Amino acid sequence: MAFLAVYSLVARYLGPGQKLSSFGDMVQCFVPLLANAGLLINAGTPHWRRNLFWMLLALSCTMWMAGQLQWTYYEVYLRKEVPGLFVGDIIFFLRGIPLIAALALRPHRRRGELSAGMGYLDFALLLTWWTFLYVFVVLPWMYATPTLEAYNTNYNILANLQQVLISLGFAVFWLRARGAWRAVYFHLFGASALYLASSLGINLAIARKAYYTGSWYDLPMMTVFFWYGMAGAVAYRRRQELDVPSESEGDGPAVDYVWASRFAMVAVLSLPVFALYALRMEHDTVAVRDFRLTVTLMASLPLALLVFLRTHLADLDRARLLARSESSIENLQRLQAQMVQSEKLVSLGQLAAGAAHEINNPLTAILGYADLLADDDTLPERTRGTAGKIREQARRTKSLVQNLLSFARQVPAERTLLDINTVVTNAVQLRALDLHNGGSTIDLQLESVLPGVRGDNNQLMQVFFNIIDNALHAMSETGGGKLTIRTQRDRGNVVVLFADTGPGIREPHRVFDPFYTTKPVGKGTGLGLSICYGIVQEHGGKIICYNGQTGGAVFRVELPAVLAALPTRGAVQGGSASVPTRSH
């Protein structure tokens, strides 16, 4: 208000004349910049539609400023009156295109992911068609048959119709929106309505030859740009509230796509209608008719190209959404298969636990009788040696049964001090029960003295068992191989390396992703290594996968060491050992 008051005082002081025209033109070139400053401060959000909305509003003000610069060129530099058939009028007219495109974005609605390219094509399509309409309706009276009265009449009708549509659009959004967006749309509607009223007033003054630059007719027009800037300032002040949806979403992107497609169809189909009007219903000169026919023919090419590009881009979006839907369905099927497999494993675990309990009873008897025979001095030495071997194998079988029971038992995680070498050895022995390993062997290279690790024995054994099982399965497909398991100390961690001689992994960076598997359908669910990853993370460790330099896959498991304690070695002593797996 202070700016407008100072402007009014200066204009009154200067009075009508060249000085006032120069002063008014310069000020009116500067005012749109103030509006852009208020609008563009909102264009730095993570929401591309909202950013584009404010940039389009700023583009409209910039285009008006470009037209005003041409007006200033005539009045200030050339010191001549602006001609009635003014070329710069097209810029004042086309400034409404960004406003219409901004309305089409509807930034107050939170919608799903849309293609930004689709929005740009819609804007280009709207700009092309609306430019064609201006050229078809207005320009014949400038170039084909120059007639000032017809030119002004057609221009004013089309420009005012455009501004009415823009004002109605902002009015509808103001009435339908809520919260901060309602306040923003109120100011945008007020600015648009004032522009319409100011434009009508200036046109009437020009018709009465009462308008001159710097007169009071310019005050409402400059107020429009201050109002646009105020709308941007209100939006920036309440920017946190703009994230809340302020209108029912409805069908969202589907509705937008339908309306955009309908507009594209109308734009293309309107061209023959305009051509028929010019050819059959045109009552003006032949030059006007030929001009309009030529313009219609020339506009058909860019419009058809834009419609084709939009259709192509829409097809790409649909293909992307279809691929994403198929991926979601596949993941759901995998999850269903995993649930079925989990039920099977629960039943199998219960069966294994029951069988192991039953096996324990005769094993205890065998072990007891073997002890009696081995310690009976009355028996021959050869018989006692055989009984000792029976006792050794019975103890080994009892240990395997205990590992099976421990692995199958679902108990809460219990963190205790563990010897990693013992956990690895137990996992290897448990895996050795499988009779179908394709002739593969396991080479254990266990460091003799390692720090202890605090963790859950069952969970870590599940991790090692899963890695071993995957390696043996991969090598069995190539006729067998060797899995080397090495334990070592690396600074404050205990490291377990699993290196096989199999074919390697095609995408090592994805092996821990849920539902990722290279096994045939029905053979794997892709969740085993994901579970292993989670277990190791819960233990404060790290698990990585990569392909070895000589081929095969390598899994590296790092667990934080308990440096204050070195657990005593029991079942495993240092050095390396080769544990063959049985094959059929």
Side-chain angles (χ1 to χ4, degrees), residues 424 428 440-446 472 475 481-487 497-499 575-581:
V424 170
V428 170
S440 299
T441 59
I442 300 177
D443 183 21
L444 288 175
Q445 299 179 7
L446 308 179
L472 295 179
M475 291 189 295
K482 183 173 73 171
L483 171 63
T484 302
I485 305 176
R486 181 184 298 111
T487 60
L497 289 172
F498 300 84
S576 67
S578 180
V579 182
T581 61

Side-chain angles (χ1 to χ4, degrees), residues 69-144:
L69 286 172
Q70 285 189 317
W71 191 289
T72 303
Y73 172 77
Y74 275 95
E75 291 194 335
V76 177
Y77 182 78
L78 299 180
R79 295 179 179 271
K80 297 192 306 186
E81 290 187 3
V82 177
L85 300 176
F86 182 43
V87 177
D89 283 341
I90 189 173
I91 300 179
F92 288 111
F93 174 79
L94 292 181
R95 67 163 290 276
I97 301 296
L99 295 178
I100 297 176
L103 283 169
L105 287 174
R106 286 183 286 178
H108 59 286
R109 296 184 59 184
R110 181 182 298 167
R111 292 178 286 176
E113 181 182 357
L114 294 175
S115 171
M118 191 81 74
Y120 299 144
L121 281 177
D122 291 340
F123 174 70
L125 185 63
L126 178 62
L127 176 63
T128 303
W129 186 82
W130 205 253
T131 304
F132 157 75
L133 187 62
Y134 178 85
V135 174
F136 185 91
V137 174
V138 179
L139 289 191
W141 309 109
M142 176 180 285
Y143 296 107

Side-chain angles (χ1 to χ4, degrees), residues 248-293:
S248 175
E249 296 296 317
D251 295 326
V255 173
D256 297 330
Y257 174 75
V258 168
W259 281 107
S261 300
R262 289 176 179 174
F263 172 74
M265 179 179 64
V266 169
V268 174
L269 293 181
S270 66
L271 296 182
V273 176
F274 283 107
L276 288 174
Y277 170 81
L279 190 61
R280 298 296 182 185
M281 303 178 64
E282 182 67 66
H283 300 299
D284 297 302
T285 64
V286 176
V288 171
R289 184 195 64 187
D290 292 343
F291 182 89
R292 286 177 169 173
L293 286 175

Side-chain angles (χ1 to χ4, degrees), residues 314-475:
D315 289 340
L316 292 179
D317 276 355
R318 284 195 293 266
R320 175 179 54 82
L321 292 174
L322 179 60
R324 184 177 298 179
S325 300
E326 291 176 348
S327 176
S328 300
I329 293 175
E330 183 180 352
N331 287 339
L332 287 175
Q333 290 175 342
R334 288 182 180 275
L335 182 59
Q336 184 181 17
Q338 172 63 18
M339 293 178 64
V340 173
Q341 184 70 10
S342 298
E343 293 296 329
K344 292 181 179 179
L345 291 177
V346 170
S347 301
L348 183 61
Q350 294 175 348
L351 178 63
H357 281 295
E358 295 299 325
I359 293 174
N360 258 335
N361 293 329
L363 271 179
T364 302
I366 293 172
L367 188 59
Y369 287 124
D371 286 338
L372 292 176
L373 292 176
D375 297 336
D376 191 349
D377 295 335
T378 61
L379 295 176
E381 183 67 26
R382 182 177 178 180
T383 303
R384 290 202 307 273
T386 302
K389 293 179 180 179
I390 295 174
R391 178 174 59 185
E392 180 182 349
Q393 294 301 316
R395 286 176 177 172
R396 180 172 180 271
T397 304
K398 189 176 182 64
S399 176
L400 291 175
V401 170
Q402 292 298 327
N403 288 338
L404 182 61
L405 282 172
S406 177
F407 185 75
R409 187 168 58 244
Q410 299 295 325
V411 296
E414 182 181 353
R415 303 293 174 87
T416 58
L417 191 62
L418 301 174
D419 177 14
I420 283 296
N421 288 337
T422 302
V423 180
V424 170
T425 304
N426 290 339
V428 170
Q429 291 177 346
L430 183 61
R431 185 57 183 79
L433 292 175
D434 190 355
L435 302 179
H436 306 284
N437 290 321
S440 299
T441 59
I442 300 177
D443 183 21
L444 288 175
Q445 299 179 7
L446 308 179
E447 188 170 323
S448 57
V449 178
L450 282 176
V453 171
R454 189 169 298 280
D456 183 83
N457 178 74
N458 294 330
Q459 289 185 342
L460 292 180
M461 188 163 62
Q462 179 182 356
V463 172
F464 300 151
F465 180 89
N466 203 316
I467 297 175
I468 294 170
D469 183 71
N470 287 342
L472 295 179
H473 181 273
M475 291 189 295

Side-chain angles (χ1 to χ4, degrees), residues 180-217:
W181 276 113
R182 186 166 193 173
V184 170
Y185 284 132
F186 167 76
H187 291 291
L188 293 176
F189 163 69
S192 301
L194 182 60
Y195 183 90
L196 175 61
S198 176
S199 179
L200 290 173
I202 291 176
N203 289 335
L204 291 174
I206 292 175
R208 299 196 313 267
K209 299 186 182 301
Y211 175 79
Y212 55 89
T213 302
S215 64
W216 67 270
Y217 292 102

Side-chain angles (χ1 to χ4, degrees), residues 20-40:
L20 178 59
S21 295
S22 300
F23 173 73
D25 286 331
M26 298 295 290
V27 171
Q28 291 182 55
C29 288
F30 173 73
V31 169
L33 295 177
L34 298 178
N36 284 349
L39 295 171
L40 291 178

